[in-house]
């Protein structure tokens, strides 16, 4: 019997990355989308561990061999932020229902400071403490799939791995969670929410 559900943020609590914001970043840099994504993700874990947006985008733009200034970096930070901050309301509604039924809730997310700052200022579900613990990589300077980030969440919840269900869209993160004993659900899209809901019908 589960006592807690632990959520990833990106593509689980949030929607998939917003396409037109990706296109806006590509248009600003004037390179192919494939090249952009390659360098965007090459340095992403460093950003998620806590380097500044300016440092992250300087690395990306230098790798892309693009001339840049501070104005361009500010625009990219803004589009990137917007691309990850559309929430999946159906998932949040389900989380609220779980909370009312006595389950503990957690988040483990790889998250850069710029996006997290916006979320903390604007998302009511973070302000009202819907989640019993929220673990963001930029705060700990540790990213999934490092087992330490999962263990920190479990310590905060005061629960064992077998008492928790972890939901993530990344196979790498799912496997790491399984290795420390967490129950896992590999989330692939909103159609999976019905399956999740059925797992908690009493």
């Amino acid at each position: 019997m589960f006592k807690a559900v632990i959520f990833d943020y990106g593509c689980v609590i949030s929607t998939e990355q917003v396409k037109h914001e990706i296109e806006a970043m590509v248009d600003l840099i004037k390179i192919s989308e494939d090249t952009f994504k390659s360098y965007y993700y090459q340095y992403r874990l460093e950003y998620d561990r806590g380097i500044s947006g300016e440092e992250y985008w300087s690395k990306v733009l230098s790798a892309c061999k693009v001339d840049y200034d501070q104005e361009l970096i500010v625009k990219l930070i803004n589009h990137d932020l917007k691309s990850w901050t559309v929430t999946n309301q159906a998932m949040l509604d389900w989380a609220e229902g779980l909370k009312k039924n006595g389950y503990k809730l957690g988040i483990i997310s790889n998250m850069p400071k710029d996006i997290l700052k916006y979320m903390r200022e604007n998302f009511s579900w973070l302000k009202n403490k819907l989640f019993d613990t929220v673990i963001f990589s930029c705060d700990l300077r540790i990213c999934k799939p490092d087992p330490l980030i999962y263990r920190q969440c479990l310590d905060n919840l005061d629960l064992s791995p077998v008492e928790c269900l972890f939901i993530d869209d990344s196979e790498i993160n799912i496997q790491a969670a399984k290795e420390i004993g967490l129950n896992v659900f590999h989330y692939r899209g909103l159609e999976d929410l019905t399956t999740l809901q059925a797992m908690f019908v009493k």
Side-chain angles (χ1 to χ4, degrees), residues 120-169:
R120 283 176 167 156
E121 291 173 351
N122 292 279
F123 286 175
S124 60
W125 51 269
L126 275 179
K127 293 179 181 179
N128 66 18
K129 301 191 183 301
L130 170 62
F131 293 85
D132 298 278
T133 185
V134 289
I135 306 292
F136 294 111
S137 60
C138 62
D139 290 333
L140 294 184
R141 296 187 177 273
I142 302 170
C143 288
K144 294 178 293 185
D146 190 318
L148 291 176
I149 200 167
Y150 303 96
R151 292 195 176 105
Q152 182 64 63
C153 184
L154 292 168
D155 287 347
N156 291 358
L157 291 171
D158 194 25
L159 293 172
S160 66
V162 296
E163 295 175 301
C164 303
L165 177 68
F166 174 65
I167 304 168
D168 201 296
D169 67 306

Side-chain angles (χ1 to χ4, degrees), residues 17-27 33 36-37 79 83:
Q17 192 174 17
V18 177
K19 179 68 173 173
H20 70 261
E21 297 294 350
I22 299 172
E23 291 169 348
M25 290 186 279
V26 169
D27 288 345
E33 187 169 325
F36 169 74
K37 286 185 175 180
H79 283 297
S83 78

Side-chain angles (χ1 to χ4, degrees), residues 6 8 10-12 91 165-175 177-178 182-193 195-196 199:
I6 303 168
D8 177 31
C11 300
V12 178
M91 186 64 77
L165 177 68
F166 174 65
I167 304 168
D168 201 296
D169 67 306
S170 163
E171 180 64 30
I172 292 172
N173 296 338
I174 286 287
Q175 288 301 319
K178 284 176 70 174
L182 280 160
N183 300 285
V184 298
F185 186 93
H186 190 177
Y187 183 81
R188 294 176 174 84
L190 193 56
E191 63 277 5
D192 283 340
L193 182 54
T195 304
L196 282 166
M199 293 169 65

Side-chain angles (χ1 to χ4, degrees), residues 6-17:
I6 303 168
F7 297 78
D8 177 31
Y9 171 77
C11 300
V12 178
I13 292 175
S14 82
T15 63
E16 292 184 359
Q17 192 174 17

Side-chain angles (χ1 to χ4, degrees), residues 66-82:
V66 171
D67 292 331
Y68 63 91
D69 55 19
Q70 186 63 29
E71 182 181 358
L72 176 58
I73 287 176
V74 169
K75 288 179 180 178
L76 289 166
I77 289 172
N78 189 48
H79 283 297
D80 189 37
L81 184 157
K82 289 178 180 177

